[in-house]
Structure formats: C-alpha cells, structure tokens
Amino acid sequence: MKIQSIRGVKDILPGEIEKWQWVEDIARNVFRKYGFKEIRLPVFEKTALFSRSIGETTDIVEKEMYTFEDRGGEQITLRPEGTASVVRAYIEHKMYNPPSVVKLYYLGPMFRYERPQAGRFRQFYQIGIEAMGTDNPAIDVEVMTLLIEFFHLLGLKDLKLQINSLGCPDCRPQYREVLKDAIRGHLKELCSNCNNRYEKNPLRVLDCKVERDQEIAKGLPKTQDHLCETCKANFAQVQALLDVAGTPYAINPLLVRGLDYYTRTTFEVTSEGLGAQNAICGGGRYDSLVEEFDGPSTPCFGFALGMERLISVIPFDGKSEIESQPDIFVISLGEEAKHHSFNVVHQLRTAGCVVDQDYDGGSMKSQMRKANKSQARFTLIIGENEIKSGKYMMKQMESGTQVEIAADNFVDQIKAELEKD
Ligand code: HAM
C-alpha cells in the first residue's frame, strides 16, 4: 500500500534545502550581531499554554490547533507558534535573573489546521525572535531594523513594513467600546465572521479579508486616535527612531494581528509577490504575557517569519553559494582500484574536500555519467594503469582539461588544483 504525506505538509528535498540552509545561516549571523541567542523549544506543549496566550477567541485557538489527549490523559497541542513556549521557558528557567534584556531566537516547524493553499500549510516553518525585559521603543526599532537588514542580505526589495499601535490595558478597553459602538450600525452588512467577532474580539473586524468589510473597516475609529498619553508618546518615539534608522514604514491603522497578546506596537512585513497570503512576517510588543503566566513584569517585543513564504520571494538565480555539488567525483576502474580509491576518498575528505564516488564499479562511460550528474567540478580517475604508474588523472569537468596527480603526494596537489579553479 502506497502511503503519501498528509495534505498541507511537504518534504523539503535536496536541491531545495540548500536555499533554506543559506537563509538560516544568514539569519544566525545577523541575529548574533544584534545579541540574540538560540533557544530550542519542544514541538508540543500543554494545550492551556496556547489557548491562554494566543486567546480563546482567536482563529488559531478556535479552529486551527492540533490538539490531542496523550496516553496519560494530558491535553497536548502541537505548537501553532513559538512565542508562548518562549514565555513558558523564560519563566520556568527564571531567565529574568539577573535582570537584563534576554534576546532569544528560534527556528522550527509550527502546526495549524488551516485550509491549505499557496503560501499556507499545515506544517510550516518559522524563524522568530523575542527580546524580553524592556519596554524601551529602541528595542522595537532595533528588532524591525534587524529584520529589514536580514531581508536586504537575502536580496529582497519590494517589501513593505507596516506598523500600528494597539494601545495598552489602560486605553484599549475604551477604544474597544468606541469601536463596538461604531460597528453596531454595520452589523447587517458585515460577514458572519465579523458578526461573531463583534462581541468577543471586535478589533479583528478591522482586518477582515472580505472586500466589502474592508471598505467598512476603513471608516471605523482608529486605534491611533484613542491611545492614552503614554502609548501616544511611545508610538511617536517608535516612528522617530525608525526615521533615525532610515527604515521606511507605513502606518496601517487596520493592522491588528490574529493573536490576542499584543500591546502597543504591532507590525507586519508584506511582499507584493505573494498574492493573498502576503505576510512574510508579523510581530509586535506583548508587555503583559509573562505576568499573565505568573512571571515578573516583563515587557517583550518579537516577530516570526514564515520560511516557505520567505523562500518563495527570494531571487536565487546565480547564487553560487547555495550550490552543494562535490569538489571531486572519484571514478575507479577494476577491483584493485576500487580498494585503492577507498583510501584516496577517505584522505581527501579528512583534508576537508567534498568528495563523492561511484560505488557500483561499472564502465568508464557509466561512471562518467554519474560524475556528470553529481555536478562535481573535477573527476579523479583511478584505474589499474594509474596505480601501476603512480599517477592519477584529474579532469576539470567544464573545460575538459586534464592534469596528472602524483599518487605519493595526491592530497596537496589536488587541493592546489581546487584552489586554482
Ligand atoms: P503569525 O502572524 O501568526 O505570528 O505568524 C508569523 C508568520 O508565520 C506569518 O507572517 C506567516 O509568514 C507565517 N505563517 C503563519 N501561518 C502560516 C501557515 N499556515 N502557512 C505558512 N506560513 C504561515 C506569530 O506566530 C507570532 N508568534 C509572531 C510573534 C513573535 N509575535 C511576537 N513574537
């Protein structure tokens, strides 16, 4: 019986994975420069961690979590995002001692039972970072600037940084009421989803994807006009620092995000090239979450980006650094040569060369075909004659030029040829 992978999940095969590794390497370098350290988190957690942090009335918690009871009767959920786990780990390991800004990043798979379509999967990968322990707007801007620098290193251009402020527990409840009053008159025109959200989560009406609702949303009261003095000053400072950093942005008053833990600054980076699922990255400030899980007061700021969406918009053409073909493919002709070349391959690898070989022995022609397929830069030919004469043949595959390599000093000579190439 043939078993296939599950809808909405995919394998990342050699040929594609090199792009992922290239992106991950650049991410690690940039994050290191800004002082972020990696944290590896479990793929599953207690369900309550996600439902309480992301919010009981969000789409993720209401309809998208992979939740099951384990054999011990515990309610478990495959993580739909990483922030909740970082907060749990931060408290569990008392990372707030001694007090300082803790800067963490993570990468790995997330799981959401969404309707699969282009750019939307049920298992997808995120790279995320969380800066924990300060409400200084400098960190908001540092993190957004880091992200833009990272995108530039990947060769991405047409990206839009959109920001908004959602206020704080002092001003948000009032805004919520003003918003509800304004929405009330439109309930008949709004979609059924918005009607459901109106009572429990009225801010989500602002970012409904239904076209007619979007027109209505544009006319609704904006968070910006209902911020308390502290949040207003904070948002002004974020904008001023973005200007200092020379990071272009646009204020989008309809940007509310799909997770409930946000306070003050929220942001998204979108790409025109992505169609309907155009958000590559989203994040913002969440100043109350650590406290809500019984940790000390710890304002935080972070983001997560979707790897599949990111990879799909990077212009990879001509990026030789993502290629992973061997330096040398070793061809051995005859039984004795096969034994002999085992040691040659071993010594070359020990010396740091990327080497592959033919394992089946076959004719020169068939082994050459394999060498071509491997896209190796060179082939090294070892037959009985070569062993007898003490000279191997090394061929540059693109030009066809051949050089003799003395068997008694082959590692140094081959390395010299590789360097010359
Ligand atoms: P999020 O907006 O839910 O935020 O997800 C972040 C990114 O993950 C999205 O912008 C998108 O690129 C990608 N993504 C989400 N769902 C899918 C999917 N089904 N298929 C493919 N890609 C997807 C968070 O997860 C927050 N934890 C971000 C954060 C960190 N906020 C503060 N710190």
Side-chain angles (χ1 to χ4, degrees):
M1 190 178 60
K2 194 159 109 188
I3 298 179
Q4 293 205 307
S5 62
I6 290 167
R7 200 163 111 87
V9 313
K10 62 174 194 170
D11 304 304
I12 308 152
L13 304 178
E16 173 75 3
I17 198 71
E18 292 79 5
K19 298 177 182 172
W20 287 60
Q21 290 165 339
W22 180 76
V23 170
E24 287 165 6
D25 283 350
I26 294 181
R28 286 180 198 281
N29 284 336
V30 177
F31 295 171
R32 200 175 302 127
K33 200 168 82 173
Y34 283 76
F36 285 83
K37 299 198 170 132
E38 184 173 0
I39 180 167
R40 297 247 171 136
L41 300 157
V43 167
F44 54 84
E45 300 265 8
K46 291 183 183 167
T47 300
L49 176 69
F50 299 116
S51 46
R52 277 179 47 205
S53 58
I54 298 169
E56 297 282 357
T57 61
T58 57
D59 284 352
I60 297 179
V61 173
E62 276 187 345
K63 339 183 225 199
E64 296 169 4
M65 294 205 304
Y66 279 92
T67 296
F68 59 97
E69 195 180 289
D70 74 5
R71 287 170 195 273
E74 184 114 63
Q75 284 297 310
I76 302 286
T77 293
L78 298 186
R79 61 180 184 192
E81 60 112 45
T83 311
S85 300
V86 172
V87 166
R88 189 222 11 93
Y90 177 82
I91 299 168
E92 192 167 322
H93 303 290
K94 299 194 173 52
M95 292 165 91
Y96 42 80
N97 271 338
S100 62
V101 178
V102 173
K103 293 176 167 181
L104 301 168
Y105 77 87
Y106 50 89
L107 14 95
M110 308 291 160
F111 306 85
R112 296 184 193 175
Y113 192 81
E114 292 193 82
R115 197 167 51 79
Q117 62 182 81
R120 199 202 268 158
F121 305 93
R122 289 182 172 167
Q123 174 173 335
F124 59 97
Y125 287 76
Q126 281 189 346
I127 298 185
I129 80 171
E130 315 291 352
M132 317 179 78
T134 178
D135 63 357
N136 189 329
I139 201 86
D140 305 28
V141 176
E142 218 177 82
V143 168
M144 288 188 274
T145 306
L146 161 160
L147 184 64
I148 299 300
E149 179 182 339
F150 171 54
F151 286 155
H152 282 160
L153 288 171
L154 300 177
L156 290 175
K157 286 189 193 90
D158 302 318
L159 297 178
K160 268 210 218 140
L161 169 64
Q162 302 183 31
I163 61 168
N164 194 17
S165 174
L166 295 183
C168 67
D170 285 338
C171 52
R172 177 112 49 97
Q174 264 166 301
Y175 170 64
R176 218 179 111 104
E177 288 315 308
V178 172
L179 186 63
K180 274 177 80 178
D181 286 346
I183 295 172
R184 200 167 298 124
H186 294 285
L187 282 176
K188 283 209 180 83
E189 305 148 73
L190 290 165
C191 73
S192 57
N193 236 346
C194 284
N195 271 271
N196 289 337
R197 283 167 173 167
Y198 161 71
E199 270 302 337
K200 295 188 274 182
N201 209 343
L203 267 74
R204 289 310 308 276
V205 173
L206 295 175
D207 77 343
C208 177
K209 299 287 174 278
V210 176
E211 225 168 276
R212 206 170 64 149
D213 294 10
Q214 283 178 354
E215 281 311 306
I216 297 170
K218 281 183 198 158
L220 293 171
K222 317 263 182 292
T223 48
Q224 269 162 279
D225 302 326
H226 297 269
L227 297 175
C228 61
E229 287 309 313
T230 324
C231 286
K232 212 183 276 173
N234 186 281
F235 195 40
Q237 235 181 320
V238 168
Q239 292 169 60
L241 290 174
L242 278 169
D243 291 337
V244 171
T247 306
Y249 62 92
I251 297 175
N252 177 359
L254 303 180
L255 179 70
V256 293
R257 312 269 305 123
L259 305 96
D260 279 356
Y261 46 64
Y262 291 108
T263 49
R264 293 193 173 157
T265 316
T266 51
F267 76 99
E268 271 182 15
V269 177
T270 54
S271 165
E272 294 301 319
L274 277 176
Q277 305 302 322
N278 67 353
I280 297 186
C281 172
R285 187 156 273 295
Y286 49 102
D287 288 347
S288 323
L289 196 56
V290 175
E291 243 176 318
E292 280 164 21
F293 282 95
D294 295 334
S297 165
T298 310
C300 303
F301 189 90
F303 70 76
L305 61 84
M307 274 294 274
E308 290 80 359
R309 293 183 194 177
L310 178 63
I311 300 267
S312 74
V313 292
I314 296 175
F316 279 107
D317 300 348
K319 279 200 168 64
S320 55
E321 54 279 41
I322 62 162
E323 290 166 5
S324 64
Q325 63 265 42
D327 297 325
I328 309 154
F329 189 95
V330 176
I331 288 178
S332 44
L333 300 161
E335 254 332 285
E336 195 193 339
K338 223 199 268 170
H339 277 291
H340 188 94
S341 64
F342 182 87
N343 186 37
V344 170
V345 169
H346 174 68
Q347 291 205 39
L348 285 172
R349 283 186 185 143
T350 310
C353 304
V354 184
V355 191
D356 210 346
Q357 64 176 324
D358 176 68
Y359 295 95
D360 302 328
S363 66
M364 175 78 170
K365 203 169 149 198
S366 80
Q367 292 196 48
M368 242 333 160
R369 219 177 291 129
K370 289 179 191 165
N372 273 322
K373 196 166 171 228
S374 79
Q375 294 186 314
R377 281 156 63 206
F378 289 90
T379 47
L380 186 71
I381 301 161
I382 306 177
E384 260 128 56
N385 288 342
E386 279 77 12
I387 297 173
K388 255 189 230 133
S389 68
K391 287 197 180 98
Y392 309 143
M393 191 60 80
M394 185 166 171
K395 180 176 171 186
Q396 213 287 351
M397 295 297 276
E398 209 176 286
S399 64
T401 10
Q402 302 196 0
V403 284
E404 280 186 346
I405 302 288
D408 55 6
N409 183 26
F410 71 92
V411 171
D412 288 346
Q413 285 180 66
I414 288 177
K415 285 190 86 170
E417 288 299 324
L418 289 175
E419 255 163 52
K420 261 198 271 166
D421 187 51

